[in-house]
Amino acid sequence: MVTPAALLFDFNEDEEALKLQTMIKEQGVASALKEVSGLGENSEITEEVINHYNNLK
C-alpha cells in the first residue's frame, strides 16, 4: 500500500527519506512513485496518491 504521507517524510538523519525527497525534487512525484513502488506514472492509483499528496502539502 502506498501512503501519500510517506512521500512527505523528510528527516535529515534518514538516508532513504533524503533519497526520496531528492527524487521528488529532481524527477517529480509521479516518477519517484514509479521508481519506489513500481506503479505506472499514469495509473489511476498514481493519480489518486498524487492528489492526496498535494492535499497534504
Side-chain angles (χ1 to χ4, degrees), residues 12-36:
N12 289 335
E13 295 180 26
D14 186 313
E15 187 176 318
E16 292 297 317
L18 291 174
K19 181 180 174 182
L20 179 59
Q21 292 308 312
T22 300
M23 287 172 42
I24 290 171
K25 288 175 187 167
E26 292 177 354
Q27 304 170 15
V29 178
S31 181
L33 187 57
K34 177 182 178 184
E35 190 167 330
V36 299

Side-chain angles (χ1 to χ4, degrees), residues 2-17:
V2 177
T3 305
L7 297 172
L8 295 167
F9 185 68
D10 190 6
F11 182 62
N12 289 335
E13 295 180 26
D14 186 313
E15 187 176 318
E16 292 297 317

Side-chain angles (χ1 to χ4, degrees), residues 16-57:
E16 292 297 317
L18 291 174
K19 181 180 174 182
L20 179 59
Q21 292 308 312
T22 300
M23 287 172 42
I24 290 171
K25 288 175 187 167
E26 292 177 354
Q27 304 170 15
V29 178
S31 181
L33 187 57
K34 177 182 178 184
E35 190 167 330
V36 299
S37 71
L39 292 171
E41 287 186 46
N42 298 315
S43 76
E44 288 182 37
I45 295 172
T46 297
E47 290 178 22
E48 193 67 28
V49 170
I50 291 172
N51 285 335
H52 287 288
Y53 167 84
N54 288 329
N55 288 334
L56 290 172
K57 277 178 51 176

